[in-house]
Amino acid sequence: MTIDKQLPSTRTTELDSICLKAEVIPVLAIQRVEDAVPLASALVEGGLSVLEVTLRTDCALEATRRIKAALPQASVGIGTVLTPAQYRQAEQVGADFVVTPGTTEALYRYGVESPVPMLPGVATVSEVMIGWQFGYRRFKLFPAEASGGVKALKAFAGPIGEARFCPTGGINLDNAADYLALPNVMCVGGSWLTPKSLVEAEDWNGIRQLAREAAERFHH
Ligand SMILES: O=C(O)C(=O)C[C@H](O)[C@H](O)COP(=O)(O)O
């Protein structure tokens, strides 16, 4: 395969250092900006210090700004980035990384130049191959369960053995270990750590407990 442009190796290293300190990345969809810091604090106190705040809600950027200010030890990524314009917004609020549910050539190109590393979302070998040409070696598999899950990742390991994945979408406490046991999986992501019912009830102890359970069970 021809590599048009290699990412500097520091970029892959940067993503590895984020992903490898996170066996599990909680996915947050923050409805009330006031919840951002207590929610993130509970997750970090529970042992999960890499978070993905999705741009699915209006306050996501402000929430990220607040989390970064309150919890400098956490790595905070912005997810659901669909366009370079949103990528730029993530840079502006100090995101440590960007996650996309899928990819476009424009995003791949933008990510190569950005100071903030991107974990591009892919579901097929073809999407990995396109990313590969831009220098990407680390990907989010989305939607993990629906697009083949563990079986797909095992199959990917043949032709694209160097690629590493963070599967997300349909992952929970029961199936996470099956993914984490694969050599091409760095970590998994999921919203099961931030259930709406606990967040709405401001049950930060409950969230802390869920995070602790995951951190203890899936410790590298
Ligand atoms: O919004 C995005 O950018 C996404 O990529 C989707 C989220 O990562 C998944 O929706 C989380 O999946 P669940 O853990 O099954 O809820």
Side-chain angles (χ1 to χ4, degrees), residues 27 52 54 56 79-81 100-101 140 142 168-171 189-192:
V27 174
E52 177 186 335
T54 59
R56 292 182 186 203
T80 327
V81 169
T100 70
K140 164 177 176 165
F142 179 78
T168 306
I171 315 260
S191 65
W192 90 86

Side-chain angles (χ1 to χ4, degrees), residues 65-78:
R65 203 180 279 121
R66 291 190 189 188
I67 294 169
K68 285 294 299 171
L71 301 166
Q73 73 277 35
S75 293
V76 187
I78 296 221

Side-chain angles (χ1 to χ4, degrees), residues 55 57-66 78 86 89-90 93:
L55 282 182
T57 62
D58 293 342
C59 66
L61 292 169
E62 176 57 20
T64 302
R65 203 180 279 121
R66 291 190 189 188
I78 296 221
Q86 290 177 322
Q89 290 178 316
V93 295

Side-chain angles (χ1 to χ4, degrees), residues 5-8 11 87 107-114 118 134-136:
K5 183 164 185 180
Q6 282 277 8
L7 273 180
R11 186 47 65 84
Y87 200 138
L107 276 172
Y108 271 142
R109 286 194 191 284
Y110 191 89
V112 169
E113 305 296 338
S114 172
M118 169 170 81
F134 287 98
Y136 293 86

Side-chain angles (χ1 to χ4, degrees), residues 2-32:
T2 326
I3 307 294
D4 290 345
K5 183 164 185 180
Q6 282 277 8
L7 273 180
S9 65
T10 50
R11 186 47 65 84
T12 297
T13 309
E14 223 175 317
L15 281 167
D16 282 350
S17 69
I18 293 169
C19 291
L20 292 174
K21 74 176 176 184
E23 14 323 277
V24 179
I25 301 182
V27 174
L28 286 65
I30 300 171
Q31 304 290 343
R32 298 176 301 208

